[in-house]
Amino acid sequence: MAKFLNTSATSYFLEELIKSAKDRLILISPFLKFNDRIKELLEDKNRLKIDVRIIYGKSELQNDEIAWLSKLTYIRTSFCKNLHAKCYLNENFCIITSLNLYEFSQINNNEMGVAVSRKDDEKLYKDAFEEAQRIIRISDEVRISLEKIPQNNELKSDSEDKTKQSKLTTSKLAIKLGKTTDELLDSLITNGYLEAVNGENKLTEKGEKSAGGENKQGRFGAYFLWDDTFNF
């Protein structure tokens, strides 16, 4: 039977839900921001190679947090436009709540939530899980990494780069080709323009010569540029 949760109980059950995840963990929250305790728990899930999906509507990560998250290889992040739901699930439990993942909400706000057990409320859990899967399907998976992040002002600041007007970042090239960034990265690897080495994408000789690929260093770290005429 579903259990009502107040602020402190929601925080407690959320921590237990993350800790007890053995196969999967889904965290749906409008804001991509974590307190230190949530970070510790996610790091532990990553060490245990648990499949973690985080769906968010707005990122509020600082540079050091982006670098931290990019190292957690078993945690996947997806952007969902107009997301306002807050729902946290593992393979056995679900919490539907007003509680965000960041510290301010857990300290200063008055929250409510409902905890659902898959064993005791199978249909309710199934309905919540299926809705979570739908949200994942309509979301755009994003690599919260140094490759995904470059903004326009990074390129503008490199005023000495004479090729900047004819080059596109991977994300902008993906938009031009009608793909998501992940789809384009997969295609670049499949077609030999990039290669995956120890979990990182590396530019190949083919990518450099045939696609005008360049490995750049920006404010957030390494990223790729491509000829704006490149298509395949």
Side-chain angles (χ1 to χ4, degrees), residues 78-166:
S78 296
F79 169 78
C80 183
K81 184 179 179 181
N82 299 325
L83 180 67
H84 198 259
K86 295 134 189 167
C87 182
Y88 313 114
L89 306 94
N90 64 19
E91 62 274 11
N92 293 312
F93 294 97
C94 166
I95 298 175
I96 301 170
T97 179
S98 60
L99 181 73
N100 287 303
L101 292 174
Y102 57 90
E103 187 170 25
F104 177 86
S105 179
Q106 296 177 16
I107 292 178
N108 298 300
N109 291 350
N110 292 306
E111 308 286 355
M112 290 186 184
V114 175
V116 179
S117 166
R118 182 179 183 181
K119 179 180 178 181
D120 297 332
D121 292 285
E122 184 175 1
K123 185 179 185 306
L124 183 55
Y125 174 90
K126 180 181 178 182
D127 289 345
F129 177 76
E130 289 180 351
E131 179 62 13
Q133 291 297 309
R134 186 193 70 82
I135 291 175
I136 291 174
R137 287 194 299 271
I138 66 173
S139 302
D140 184 15
E141 186 168 342
V142 177
R143 298 178 190 272
I144 301 296
S145 68
L146 305 178
E147 154 57 20
K148 177 68 180 179
I149 296 302
Q151 304 293 322
N152 290 339
N153 60 354
E154 289 181 5
L155 300 181
K156 291 178 182 178
S157 65
D158 189 7
S159 59
E160 301 303 320
D161 185 357
K162 300 184 184 300
T163 65
K164 67 180 179 180
Q165 296 299 328
S166 62

Side-chain angles (χ1 to χ4, degrees), residues 154-185:
E154 289 181 5
L155 300 181
K156 291 178 182 178
S157 65
D158 189 7
S159 59
E160 301 303 320
D161 185 357
K162 300 184 184 300
T163 65
K164 67 180 179 180
Q165 296 299 328
S166 62
K167 296 288 186 178
L168 296 176
T169 62
T170 306
S171 58
K172 289 187 179 296
L173 180 61
I175 293 172
K176 180 180 178 181
L177 298 179
K179 301 174 181 287
T180 66
T181 303
D182 278 352
E183 288 172 345
L184 179 57
L185 287 170

